[in-house]
Amino acid sequence: MPRRPRLSLPGVPMHIVQRGNNRQACFFAEEDYILYLDWLREYAQREACRIHAYVLMTNHVHLLLSADRAEGPGATMKALGQRYVQYVNRSYRRSGSLWDGRYRSCLVQDDAYLINCMHYIELNPVRAGMVDRPDSYRWSSYRANALAAHDPVVSPHDTYLAFGGTPAERAERYRSQFPHMPDPATISEIRAATNGNYALGNDRFAAEIALALGRRVTPGKPRKPANDSSGSLLE
């Protein structure tokens, strides 16, 4: 079965998840994280992509970005992934694949959906039990967005910029909305959209994306099996 084309539109935020092969580690030392972020910034700038939030976990990566061209995110991830794999294989005397196939992604609606996605990304280390507080984890955008710390990787989205007239005001408002943990329904919604390559937003947003792309961007309705008289539905 052919793979569904990835959802991508200029200017529409995209949440990306890329995992290590078989969920194995893809970062092994501090230098690995530093180089990945340097190359992420380099290729994102080259492809006219803006990174709004990120976290580098031991065995996977989350990014929230916008692009001027629909092809920008894919070109960024391809160049970054190839260069990083070459570096890891050379540095650690290994061979073969590092990433678990294609990255997964979804388009994200502005406003609350985008902010919830930023929270979801930056709380990954807390959910994983690696730290008690998001500001204790070095390899994420939390300090840039919540503490107004300088981070050359991060380019604030307009939704975030509307939080205030100065970096301090924006960080304070963002921090005031930051939950201890996203509610389970929000987590499930983000994961389902990202794993399924769907639109993350309300019905109107999904309809607008579907119209722009000329294809379905939400899960199909479950169908009743022809020989099933019990009324149960297939997933």
Side-chain angles (χ1 to χ4, degrees):
M1 179 181 295
R3 295 182 294 191
R4 294 173 60 238
R6 214 183 288 284
L7 303 184
S8 186
L9 282 171
V12 180
M14 176 184 286
H15 175 224
I16 290 174
V17 180
Q18 187 158 41
R19 298 189 178 279
N21 192 29
N22 294 322
R23 297 185 180 268
Q24 296 176 354
C26 44
F27 299 100
F28 307 92
E30 180 175 307
E31 184 179 9
D32 303 343
Y33 294 92
I34 293 172
L35 287 173
Y36 186 95
L37 290 175
D38 284 345
W39 293 333
L40 170 62
R41 178 167 58 92
E42 175 185 340
Y43 292 119
Q45 289 178 346
R46 189 183 77 179
E47 300 297 337
C49 294
R50 294 164 296 283
I51 309 298
H52 310 308
Y54 69 85
V55 67
L56 310 186
M57 303 293 283
T58 306
N59 64 357
H60 68 282
V61 172
H62 287 263
L63 305 174
L64 180 65
L65 58 81
S66 300
D68 290 346
R69 300 181 302 110
E71 300 82 7
T76 297
M77 296 305 292
K78 180 178 179 180
L80 173 62
Q82 289 177 344
R83 185 169 182 180
Y84 186 72
V85 169
Q86 291 171 0
Y87 156 76
V88 168
N89 286 351
R90 182 176 64 251
S91 298
Y92 298 101
R93 298 182 180 181
R94 65 180 300 279
S95 61
S97 175
L98 178 67
W99 304 114
D100 186 19
R102 303 171 81 209
Y103 64 85
R104 300 183 180 186
S105 64
C106 67
L107 293 182
V108 182
Q109 184 177 346
D110 293 354
D111 301 326
Y113 286 94
L114 182 132
I115 298 301
N116 284 342
C117 194
M118 292 173 66
H119 293 165
Y120 170 81
I121 289 170
E122 293 171 353
L123 278 168
N124 256 259
V126 179
R127 286 199 303 276
M130 301 172 71
V131 294
D132 294 327
R133 297 158 45 103
D135 59 351
S136 298
Y137 192 75
R138 181 177 176 185
W139 312 111
S140 88
S141 54
Y142 177 82
R143 295 180 184 180
N145 290 319
L147 303 177
H150 175 67
D151 188 332
V153 176
V154 176
S155 297
H157 189 271
D158 287 347
T159 298
Y160 176 88
L161 291 174
F163 279 179
T166 68
E169 290 174 354
R170 292 190 286 269
E172 181 178 3
R173 183 173 174 189
Y174 181 76
R175 194 168 59 248
S176 72
Q177 297 183 5
F178 209 89
H180 175 67
M181 198 73 70
D183 65 88
T186 298
I187 293 175
S188 296
E189 186 177 22
I190 293 172
R191 286 177 175 170
T194 306
N195 290 332
N197 185 29
Y198 299 128
L200 176 62
N202 59 28
D203 291 343
R204 180 176 179 179
F205 174 74
E208 291 173 348
I209 297 299
L211 181 62
L213 294 175
R215 50 171 290 201
R216 180 172 58 83
V217 298
T218 56
K221 293 182 179 180
R223 295 181 300 173
K224 180 179 178 179
N227 60 349
D228 183 2
S229 60
S230 66
S232 63
L233 299 178
L234 291 176
E235 295 183 358

